Amino acid sequence: MAYCKVGQAEIYYEDIGEGTPILMIHGFTPDHRLMSGCMEPVFRKRDGWRRIYISTFPVWG
């Protein structure tokens, strides 16, 4: 599991692929699992993109 420390919070993230980074930040109720499930099929045939999925932020639970 990968974490990034921001202030006093540790934020979980998943890093998939190589290339130009795209930061995937979910909205109110979805989390990184739903985002990756929806977005990974889009990138299945597209090389050159590094997807970084940010998990739930502390303020969202």
Side-chain angles (χ1 to χ4, degrees):
M1 295 185 148
Y3 287 88
C4 175
K5 187 157 178 101
V6 178
Q8 295 180 351
E10 288 190 356
I11 308 296
Y12 175 77
Y13 68 94
E14 290 185 3
D15 193 347
I16 303 171
E18 296 179 5
T20 305
I22 298 177
L23 188 60
M24 306 285 191
I25 303 174
H26 65 81
F28 179 62
T29 57
D31 65 5
H32 70 283
R33 295 169 293 196
L34 180 62
M35 287 289 295
S36 63
C38 292
M39 296 305 296
E40 284 306 301
V42 173
F43 290 99
R44 189 169 290 137
K45 295 182 181 179
R46 292 174 175 87
D47 294 330
W49 296 99
R50 175 181 175 199
R51 285 89 62 207
I52 304 165
Y53 293 93
I54 303 295
S55 186
T56 305
F57 287 105
V59 295
W60 287 329

